[in-house]
């Protein structure tokens, strides 16, 4: 089976974990601090704060940006539910807004129409590993005094006109979940240049205690801390990140070259000026292909090729969000994309031969 994702763990990660276990310092400690320093340097931000998940980083980011009960936060329905749930955890309203079909990211023009007096922030997702239309969204957000939280959970290492993922917002959240481009099993990071956001996020991670005044509770907080065991893995993975990204980009180029002339298959074309790091390599299977997306996925599975559908149903069609009054037809681009998208294996451990097997299978099944 050619799997859709395969975390790479080498001897260095194993040794790093063993050495933390032997040190006796298992919870958040010096390794976490070292990881935060390295991550901030990599992104080029003043601060990086480590968490035990990407979801926790998004939640802390919203808290740090001052999002509270009754505020409106705009995001897209074409994302993982963890983008939107933290909005609800803050008792704010999740205002959904459709995407552009060329990059699957939030459509700045539509965002403009969603902004009201109550809008406090936009969570823009770098879906599949490509940064959203930052310049357009920033112009709109600044004009309306709305802040941006970048959901960079899929885009570590991506750039947009020389700007790194992690710097395309007032704060940005990353995930180190097992299948992400780099991983610590579970984990997350918030990056920001804003001193106040960083202080608040650190406090939020630690039951509302500031790091300077222990057992002094300033506000509601959580236990969102990263362990040094996870940080030790993440530190080693950071040293592999650029090579992983280059391999993903090279694999994507091979797939696109092989698939671009297959009728009915739309291959992903990065927008001008973006470095897309292909957390997912996602094609669209349109009517002209002659088989539906689900038929192609089943065919590939029979041929031992794993695929993924991210995401089979946009958020607004799930009971959890439909309850807020959303219904079929509200976000036609997201709805169409969830019928057409299919992600193919692109991770760094795929061989050239496996890429050719994938291309051959999709080509020969076309009608
Ligand atoms: C993975 C992911 C998250 C959440 O990260 P966890 O570490 O699993 O909590 C949030 N948003 C997007 C777009 C993701 O892909």
């Amino acid at each position: 089976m050619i799997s859709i994702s395969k975390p790479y763990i080498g001897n260095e990660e194993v040794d790093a974990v063993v050495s933390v276990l032997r040190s006796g310092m298992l919870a958040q400690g010096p390794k976490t601090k070292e990881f935060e320093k390295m991550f901030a340097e990599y992104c080029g931000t003043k601060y990086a704060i480590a968490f035990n998940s990407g979801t926790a980083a998004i939640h802390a980011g919203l808290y740090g940006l001052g999002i509270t009960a009754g505020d409106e936060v705009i995001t897209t329905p074409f994302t993982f539910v963890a983008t939107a749930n933290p909005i609800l955890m803050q008792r704010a309203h999740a205002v959904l807004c459709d995407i552009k079909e060329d990059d699957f990211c939030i459509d700045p023009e539509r965002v403009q129409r969603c902004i009201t007096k109550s809008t406090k922030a936009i969570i823009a997702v770098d879906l599949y590993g490509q940064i959203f239309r930052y310049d357009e969204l920033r112009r709109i957000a600044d004009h309306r005094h709305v802040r941006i939280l970048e959901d960079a959970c899929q885009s570590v290492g991506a750039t947009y006109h020389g700007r790194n993922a992690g710097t395309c917002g007032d704060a940005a959240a990353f995930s180190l979940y097992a299948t992400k481009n780099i991983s610590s099993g579970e984990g997350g990071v918030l990056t920001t240049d804003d001193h106040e956001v960083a202080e608040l996020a650190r406090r939020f991670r630690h039951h509302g205690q500031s790091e300077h005044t222990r057992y002094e509770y300033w506000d509601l907080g959580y236990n969102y801390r990263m362990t040094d065991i996870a940080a030790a893995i993440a530190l080693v993975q950071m040293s592999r990140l650029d090579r992983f990204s280059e391999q993903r980009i090279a694999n994507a180029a091979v797939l696109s070259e092989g698939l671009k002339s297959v009728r009915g298959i739309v291959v992903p074309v990065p927008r001008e000026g973006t470095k897309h790091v292909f957390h997912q390599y996602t094609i669209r299977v349109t009517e002209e292909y002659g088989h539906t997306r689900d038929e192609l996925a089943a065919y590939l599975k029979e041929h031992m090729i794993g695929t993924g559908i991210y995401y089979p149903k946009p958020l607004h069609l799930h009971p959890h969000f439909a309850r807020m009054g959303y219904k079929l037809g509200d976000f036609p681009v997201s709805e169409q994309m969830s019928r057409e998208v299919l992600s193919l294996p692109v991770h760094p451990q795929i061989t050239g031969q496996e890429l050719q097997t994938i291309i051959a299978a999709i080509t020969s099944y076309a009608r």
Side-chain angles (χ1 to χ4, degrees):
M1 192 78 186
I2 307 176
S3 63
I4 181 71
S5 71
K6 190 169 173 186
Y8 180 89
I9 295 292
N11 291 333
E12 294 83 351
E13 282 87 346
V14 173
D15 293 346
V17 167
V18 170
S19 110
V20 170
L21 294 177
R22 295 209 190 287
S23 79
M25 182 67 226
L26 306 186
Q28 183 183 301
K31 283 288 165 193
T32 304
K33 215 175 199 69
E34 194 184 329
F35 168 64
E36 290 177 332
K37 185 162 179 284
M38 184 188 266
F39 202 88
E41 270 166 23
Y42 185 86
C43 293
T45 55
K46 282 196 192 146
Y47 310 101
I49 302 113
F51 289 87
N52 54 14
S53 73
T55 310
I58 295 171
H59 192 191
L62 289 176
Y63 175 80
L65 293 173
I67 304 308
T68 172
D71 291 343
E72 290 177 9
V73 178
I74 298 172
T75 194
T76 93
F78 197 66
T79 183
F80 183 48
V81 69
T83 304
N85 273 342
I87 301 172
L88 308 176
M89 294 174 195
Q90 284 305 94
R91 300 167 184 263
H93 299 293
V95 175
L96 301 179
C97 171
D98 216 347
I99 55 169
K100 299 278 274 189
E101 66 175 58
D102 62 347
D103 64 355
F104 310 99
C105 293
I106 204 159
D107 178 348
E109 267 175 44
R110 285 186 159 99
V111 168
Q112 197 157 20
R113 282 179 256 140
C114 289
I115 295 178
T116 71
K117 283 202 296 290
S118 305
T119 307
K120 294 287 162 55
I122 302 157
I123 304 182
V125 184
D126 299 333
L127 203 73
Y128 304 146
Q130 173 169 234
I131 294 171
F132 64 92
R133 285 176 158 80
Y134 173 74
D135 291 334
E136 284 169 76
L137 196 70
R138 177 49 90 189
R139 217 174 302 123
I140 292 162
D142 283 354
H143 184 65
R144 304 293 298 269
H145 306 291
V146 168
R147 305 188 86 182
I148 299 175
L149 177 64
E150 180 186 9
D151 179 340
C153 286
Q154 302 187 355
S155 63
V156 64
T159 66
Y160 172 77
H161 288 297
R163 183 181 274 280
N164 293 330
T167 67
C168 298
D170 298 284
F174 293 86
S175 169
L176 297 166
Y177 179 66
T179 60
K180 299 287 156 83
N181 288 19
I182 56 166
S183 154
S184 61
E186 298 271 9
V189 193
L190 188 77
T191 54
T192 184
D193 282 335
D194 186 320
H195 180 75
E196 192 190 346
V197 172
E199 282 286 311
L200 289 174
R202 274 194 211 105
R203 209 170 82 179
F204 197 65
R205 161 177 82 172
H206 195 41
H207 291 298
Q209 304 169 79
S210 105
E211 302 210 324
H212 321 294
T213 56
R214 222 165 151 216
Y215 300 119
E216 188 78 51
Y217 311 111
W218 296 95
D219 201 357
L220 176 65
Y222 295 78
N223 174 358
Y224 276 167
R225 296 182 301 269
M226 176 177 270
T227 64
D228 263 22
I229 303 169
I233 302 173
L235 272 164
V236 179
Q237 293 263 303
M238 283 298 287
S239 70
R240 307 190 193 279
L241 173 55
D242 285 338
R243 196 163 38 83
F244 281 171
S245 302
E246 292 318 316
Q247 283 164 334
R248 284 177 179 273
I249 291 166
N251 290 347
V254 172
L255 288 169
S256 287
E257 188 53 36
L259 295 172
K260 68 178 188 218
S261 51
V262 180
R263 253 188 66 158
I265 297 293
V266 181
V267 299
V269 179
R271 295 191 331 267
E272 184 271 318
T274 68
K275 177 181 177 186
H276 187 323
V277 290
F278 291 100
H279 170 58
Q280 299 296 346
Y281 177 88
T282 303
I283 58 171
R284 288 170 50 198
V285 184
T286 66
E287 223 167 289
E288 289 178 337
Y289 183 68
H291 296 281
T292 66
R293 183 269 315 273
D294 292 341
E295 285 166 353
L296 175 57
Y299 177 85
L300 292 175
K301 190 174 175 199
E302 272 168 38
H303 289 76
M304 306 298 282
I305 298 166
T307 59
I309 298 171
Y310 311 107
Y311 297 89
K313 195 154 89 168
L315 295 182
H316 66 289
L317 300 181
H318 292 267
H320 179 41
F321 292 87
R323 215 171 279 138
M324 298 165 200
Y326 292 112
K327 58 183 186 311
L328 189 68
D330 283 351
F331 306 106
V333 182
S334 297
E335 290 167 18
Q336 185 187 342
M337 294 308 118
S338 46
R339 287 188 299 268
E340 294 181 354
V341 290
L342 186 66
S343 299
L344 305 175
V346 73
H347 59 79
Q349 296 180 78
I350 302 272
T351 66
Q353 183 151 26
E354 287 171 330
L355 292 172
Q356 293 310 320
T357 303
I358 297 167
I359 293 165
I362 295 172
T363 307
S364 67
Y365 190 52
R367 262 212 287 257

